[in-house]
Amino acid sequence: MFKDLNPILHSQLRLAVISILISVKEAEFTYLREKTDATAGNLSVQINKLKEAGYIDVSKSFKDNYPQTICRITPQGVRAFEEYVRDLQSYLNIKK
Amino acid sequence: MEQENEFSGQESLALITKMINKARRDYLDTGLSALLWGSVITFCSLVTFANHYLDWPALEYVWWLTVAAIIPQIVIVIREGKDRKYRAYEDDLIGGIWISFGIAIFLLAYIVSVYHVAEPAPLFLVLYGIPTFATGYARRFRPMLIGGVTCWVLAIVSHYTPYPYTMLSLAVAAQLAWFIPGLIIRKRYLKAKAQHVQRS
């Protein structure tokens, strides 16, 4: 049953990122790194995976001459997250 | 959070809850806007109250300070925007409410002067309560909820209070709606900032 959970979201760091992005309209890369305690490299890889899955949008710009990466969840990401939570709840209910 | 380990359903739900709470708790205003307006309105109200007895013509213009305070307010908004690492869903909504309030308050001041309203304090207090209560409600921030309700209670009180005592209602409202919540927000902000500096 557990393997039926969305593999893109069933990863600690990716799930943490999506959980933050579902709570806010948009967040900078540095904010996500701060909240997840992840390294920049690992976070960057996981964000890319979420982006490739179409779950988040990533836009890059400059702020005070420093590169700035802003992430926001897409409607597809919201649906995937809701489905993941539903699957998780039904899994836990069955297990009980 | 470096490993891509298998984790249980319970752990997964716990992680979701933890992250959502982290993001939700993380709302941090600098508190400067609330402190600014809390101070300016309190000052203007108390000066107006004192001037009823002093009768100094120059002090009749003290409320123009509210116009001058727009400049530091703009600076605060720009700086906060630059420092902000995320935007919450309700940010635009709350911003819109405060901009509407700012416009409405200056329009009301104009109308009150044109129609020579004898005692406008209750009208201002009703307006003060709206964005304050709305912000407290949206942010789940009790001091501003209390501040908003206090403004409305004082609006009723000042309707039955003779001038210049209505000015004291305005001062109390500014303290409870903005200055004291501003102090609480500022304290939280500085604490969070100090923790952030320690971590990095």
Side-chain angles (χ1 to χ4, degrees):
Chain A
M1 183 61 70
F2 217 54
K3 64 176 179 260
D4 291 340
L5 288 170
N6 183 339
I8 301 284
L9 293 184
H10 196 62
S11 132
Q12 284 192 1
L13 188 47
R14 289 196 292 270
L15 185 59
V17 169
I18 281 287
S19 301
I20 293 170
L21 290 179
I22 201 111
S23 319
V24 298
K25 195 176 174 186
E26 57 184 38
E28 280 185 27
F29 181 86
T30 49
Y31 178 78
L32 294 172
R33 189 154 69 95
E34 195 181 293
K35 294 293 145 196
T36 57
D37 290 324
T39 61
N42 192 16
L43 182 60
S44 193
V45 169
Q46 304 312 327
I47 280 178
N48 234 9
K49 284 185 184 173
L50 288 169
K51 188 187 164 192
E52 280 166 11
Y55 293 171
I56 64 171
D57 270 336
V58 179
S59 58
K60 291 177 190 281
S61 60
F62 280 88
K63 183 175 163 185
D64 297 331
N65 293 325
Y66 287 99
Q68 184 192 33
T69 304
I70 293 175
C71 306
R72 57 183 75 82
I73 198 163
T74 62
Q76 194 184 336
V78 173
R79 280 195 300 275
F81 179 79
E82 286 170 349
E83 200 181 321
Y84 177 82
V85 172
R86 266 199 306 273
D87 289 348
L88 201 59
Q89 281 169 338
S90 61
Y91 167 79
L92 290 170
N93 284 339
I94 289 163
K95 211 181 160 192
K96 277 177 194 170
Chain B
M1 207 174 285
E2 296 304 313
Q3 301 300 315
E4 287 296 300
N5 293 337
E6 273 293 306
F7 62 125
S8 72
Q10 288 290 1
E11 282 169 338
S12 194
L13 272 185
L15 176 67
I16 293 169
T17 311
K18 184 181 156 192
M19 287 299 149
I20 289 176
N21 283 338
K22 260 191 180 183
R24 199 172 278 164
R25 261 206 319 270
D26 205 57
Y27 164 68
L28 279 174
D29 192 328
T30 62
L32 289 177
S33 297
L35 285 173
L36 171 71
W37 291 102
S39 310
V40 169
I41 302 298
T42 304
F43 179 77
C44 294
S45 310
L46 293 179
V47 166
T48 308
F49 175 77
N51 200 38
H52 180 72
Y53 303 101
L54 297 171
D55 204 17
W56 292 352
L59 291 181
E60 284 171 17
Y61 299 99
V62 70
W63 286 95
W64 282 99
L65 261 183
T66 56
V67 178
I70 292 172
I71 296 163
Q73 177 60 51
I74 291 169
V75 174
I76 291 167
V77 168
I78 292 170
R79 280 195 180 172
E80 282 183 347
K82 274 186 176 177
D83 292 343
R84 188 156 287 183
K85 290 179 177 173
Y86 72 97
R87 279 159 67 89
Y89 284 105
E90 68 271 18
D91 281 349
D92 293 343
L93 184 67
I94 291 178
I97 290 172
W98 281 98
I99 291 169
S100 323
F101 166 72
I103 295 166
I105 212 88
F106 281 103
L107 281 175
L108 181 65
Y110 173 73
I111 290 164
V112 156
S113 66
V114 167
Y115 288 97
H116 304 290
V117 177
E119 186 42 81
L123 299 174
F124 283 102
L125 283 163
V126 167
L127 262 189
Y128 287 178
I130 296 169
T132 311
F133 187 87
T135 305
Y137 192 82
R139 302 277 196 219
R140 296 182 181 85
F141 184 50
R142 194 181 295 233
M144 274 196 149
L145 274 178
I146 295 169
V149 172
T150 306
C151 288
W152 293 329
V153 171
L154 286 169
I156 298 166
V157 171
S158 61
H159 179 66
Y160 296 101
T161 312
Y163 183 84
Y165 297 101
T166 47
M167 288 297 117
L168 297 180
S169 289
L170 282 179
V172 171
Q175 285 294 303
L176 291 175
W178 304 324
F179 193 81
I180 293 170
L183 277 182
I184 297 167
I185 296 167
R186 187 73 190 157
K187 201 176 159 189
R188 282 185 193 176
Y189 172 78
L190 293 175
K191 193 178 165 190
K193 205 176 170 188
Q195 281 171 350
H196 180 71
V197 169
Q198 274 172 3
R199 272 207 306 267
S200 53

